[in-house]
Amino acid sequence: TCVNPTFITEHPAVMSPLAKYHRSKKGLTERFECFVATKEICNAYTELNNPRVQRERFEEQAKDKDAGDDEAQLVDEVFVDALEHGLSPTGGWGMGIDRFAMFMSDSQNIKEVLLFPAMKPLVPVVASKAPSGNGGDYEKRAIAAEAKIEELAAKLAELEKRIGK
């Protein structure tokens, strides 16, 4: 468990299908993640720009998906086609406002702070999907989640005022 700020580096290639392979360590990638207080704050890697290797990784992921791995992805033909037309060496890191909100609100799961309706159902949707006899509990949890979203949105607006946005 990473309580203190921790960088985890050199992930296995099987865990990082879009990251470039490590220059000197076979089977690893050029990638790191930063964790603070047990939460992932950012993710960064050098982009894989070899279309042949990328296709092989996608195909391996597709096999894993067929075998029941819910997190595995299918082959992205459009992306491979773009790579075949040439992608210069690229890299970057990501630290979304969702991860920042999760960290600041001490949430345990990123879904607790997502503001996107497609990923965080509204009260009527949750209540209508509730198993028979349990609707009240689902509705209470959905109302509490909606209140938390409103609270986070207010905090975000306050933070934007402070930084002058």
Side-chain angles (χ1 to χ4, degrees):
T1 304
C2 303
V3 176
N4 294 323
T6 305
F7 286 92
I8 298 175
T9 64
E10 302 170 345
H11 291 62
V14 69
M15 292 176 56
S16 309
L18 299 174
K20 192 171 218 166
Y21 40 86
H22 198 284
R23 296 162 208 230
S24 60
K25 297 180 182 176
K26 189 170 175 62
L28 300 180
T29 59
E30 295 182 350
R31 176 180 172 198
F32 75 83
E33 292 174 301
C34 177
F35 285 81
V36 178
T38 72
K39 294 173 181 66
E40 179 188 321
I41 300 301
C42 75
N43 183 20
Y45 54 88
T46 304
E47 297 272 352
L48 177 60
N49 59 350
N50 182 324
R52 184 185 53 77
V53 174
Q54 185 64 74
R55 178 176 295 284
E56 289 170 2
R57 288 196 189 170
F58 278 152
E59 288 171 351
E60 188 61 38
Q61 286 247 322
K63 287 179 192 172
D64 292 345
K65 188 166 192 70
D66 289 342
D69 184 346
D70 293 337
E71 293 185 15
Q73 302 297 313
L74 297 173
V75 177
D76 185 340
E77 294 293 343
V78 174
F79 185 69
V80 173
D81 184 53
L83 290 177
E84 288 170 345
H85 284 85
L87 175 67
S88 60
T90 58
W93 68 281
M95 180 184 165
I97 189 69
D98 49 359
R99 294 194 187 283
F100 183 69
M102 181 180 154
F103 181 72
M104 295 304 290
S105 66
D106 198 29
S107 298
Q108 297 306 308
N109 187 316
I110 200 162
K111 290 181 181 178
E112 295 176 38
V113 299
L114 289 178
L115 299 176
F116 306 106
M119 299 185 79
K120 188 135 182 107
L122 298 175
V123 175
V125 175
V126 174
S128 68
K129 290 185 178 180
S132 60
N134 256 349
D137 182 50
Y138 276 77
E139 191 168 350
K140 287 177 190 172
R141 287 175 36 206
I143 290 169
E146 190 172 0
K148 184 152 188 150
I149 290 171
E150 289 172 4
E151 176 188 335
L152 287 171
K155 286 181 180 179
L156 179 59
E158 182 181 322
L159 180 62
E160 288 177 339
K161 277 185 188 176
R162 286 185 188 170
I163 62 173
K165 275 197 166 187

